[in-house]
Amino acid sequence: SLEPMLSLYIFEDTIVHYSSNDNSINDTPTSLATASDNDMATSRKGKSYGILFDVETTTPGSVSPPSPSPVTIRGMDLYLVDNVAPPIHYEVWTKEGSWQDDIRLRTTTTTTTGPSHFLSGYHQVSQGMIRSISYEGESDSNHDFVVVSLPEFQDVEIGGGHATRRAFYITLSDDLLLFESYDVDEGESDRGRREAGSAVQSSNGKLQVYYGAAVRAYPMETVDMATDFWDNAGFLGRIWTM
């Protein structure tokens, strides 16, 4: 069950608030942004229903032997296509390890796999309705995107006795989720899972985010694993941690 009021991003009339009714929580969440506004203006972007990606705790260089510090993920913000008024359903799932652990999913079709197989080992940490419209006073005609904070999010522990690497699957009910296309070196033709599994998209010294795969269908029952995964896609948004 969701931790009561531990990490809430309240969505009210398109204004985002952070609040907590637990007076024992004095720490302020910090965020790891995978792209700045400038990056959003210049990076190669696409849109999809969902995205798969990994996050991993990092080890300070002064620590010996290596021991990554534990990190608690408290919430996420998403970059969506702007100016779509109707509410959109979203879901966030996570599991220990990498989303690429089950390589067989890439070569089997939905006749033998489905959500019960694809999401095996995953658990849901957030779901609800969001809107893809600019917040009051923040609209900018130069932007074709909007940042939306997820309204409720169950804490996810990484490291400190838990796995140091976790997979996340974020999906919407419409293809409005923006992702970044990973830039391979000029002349490099192999743009498969190898880059997605090892290329770090963003890091803040405590946590690093890897490039993953965009999912171009919803719901998962309709996904063809062979054609609906777009490799070398990066999550665009912010990850809030403690």
Side-chain angles (χ1 to χ4, degrees), residues 50-53 93-95 98-100 102 104-106 108 110 112-123 167-171 213-215 219-221 223-225 229:
I51 192 164
L52 289 154
F53 64 97
W93 300 76
T94 186
K95 73 166 187 174
S98 173
W99 64 272
Q100 297 181 89
D102 295 322
R104 62 182 176 80
L105 292 178
R106 299 297 304 224
T108 53
T110 52
T112 56
T113 65
S116 61
H117 290 78
F118 176 81
L119 295 176
S120 176
Y122 283 79
H123 71 276
F168 281 90
Y169 169 51
I170 301 172
T171 186
V215 182
M220 189 52 70
E221 295 97 315
V223 172
D224 184 330
M225 302 298 177
F229 278 13

Side-chain angles (χ1 to χ4, degrees), residues 189-209:
S189 59
D190 178 10
R191 303 188 65 181
R193 195 182 308 111
R194 178 175 61 81
E195 289 85 0
S198 60
V200 175
Q201 182 189 12
S202 187
S203 177
N204 63 1
K206 294 194 307 181
L207 194 72
Q208 55 192 20
V209 181

Side-chain angles (χ1 to χ4, degrees), residues 105-174:
L105 292 178
R106 299 297 304 224
T107 57
T108 53
T109 66
T110 52
T111 59
T112 56
T113 65
S116 61
H117 290 78
F118 176 81
L119 295 176
S120 176
Y122 283 79
H123 71 276
Q124 193 175 78
V125 293
S126 187
Q127 69 167 334
M129 305 296 291
I130 53 178
R131 292 180 179 176
S132 178
I133 54 177
S134 296
Y135 303 138
E136 181 180 350
E138 295 186 9
S139 179
D140 186 338
S141 60
N142 293 323
H143 290 169
D144 58 358
F145 65 90
V146 62
V147 181
V148 176
S149 291
L150 301 185
E152 191 167 313
F153 200 95
Q154 178 181 333
D155 287 358
V156 178
E157 306 288 342
I158 306 179
H162 302 271
T164 58
R165 185 163 179 146
R166 293 197 70 98
F168 281 90
Y169 169 51
I170 301 172
T171 186
L172 307 179
S173 58
D174 204 346

Side-chain angles (χ1 to χ4, degrees), residues 47-74:
K47 68 172 185 172
S48 65
Y49 288 89
I51 192 164
L52 289 154
F53 64 97
D54 292 346
V55 300
E56 187 174 38
T57 54
T58 56
T59 302
S62 60
V63 175
S64 181
S67 178
S69 300
V71 174
T72 302
I73 295 181
R74 308 293 303 275

